[in-house]
Amino acid sequence: MHLRQTVAAAAASIALLLALPSPAGAAVGEFRYTYYDDFGNRAAGVLVEPDSRVCVTLPEVADPDTTEPAFAPQNFTGSTVTMFTGPDCDGDHYSLRPGGRASDRLKLRSALFS
């Protein structure tokens, strides 16, 4: 009887572990964008294998009071990315499929990979 209870408890524990959400994975590949540096020159930014389901504020353009937004995103990851006009995934948003590119007109400050 005791062995049967132990096996049942172990099976229930394993089932509970399998039901817990797994930690966020990564969007495999690179997400590239362009921004203006402190001297007004065009510069290239890149996120390498960004976390999935985690908002990423682009560090070079995080402060709307002191920087222009990034632009011309290129999604070389295997995931769809939703880009936001504000930091912290706030503001208007646009999606870009894997392998997609957008023009200089698309402005962004943060991104969320699915």
Side-chain angles (χ1 to χ4, degrees):
M1 181 76 162
H2 183 58
L3 178 61
R4 194 175 319 157
Q5 289 174 337
T6 303
V7 170
S13 296
I14 291 171
L16 179 61
L17 284 175
L18 292 175
L20 293 175
S22 61
V28 178
E30 294 182 348
F31 177 75
R32 299 178 189 168
Y33 52 93
T34 305
Y35 66 96
Y36 290 108
D37 67 16
D38 294 338
F39 303 103
N41 300 315
R42 286 172 73 111
V46 64
L47 300 176
V48 179
E49 298 194 0
D51 288 336
S52 295
R53 300 179 302 279
V54 175
C55 179
V56 179
T57 297
L58 306 179
E60 302 90 350
V61 298
D63 187 353
D65 294 329
T66 61
T67 61
E68 294 294 320
F71 54 94
Q74 300 174 340
N75 185 11
F76 298 121
T77 73
S79 301
T80 296
V81 59
T82 302
M83 300 159 293
F84 296 83
T85 56
D88 303 317
C89 295
D90 192 28
D92 293 337
H93 60 278
Y94 311 92
S95 293
L96 198 58
R97 65 180 171 21
R101 299 171 185 230
S103 74
D104 289 4
R105 294 186 323 214
L106 195 142
K107 309 295 185 197
L108 67 147
R109 289 189 188 273
S110 56
L112 180 68
F113 296 83
S114 58

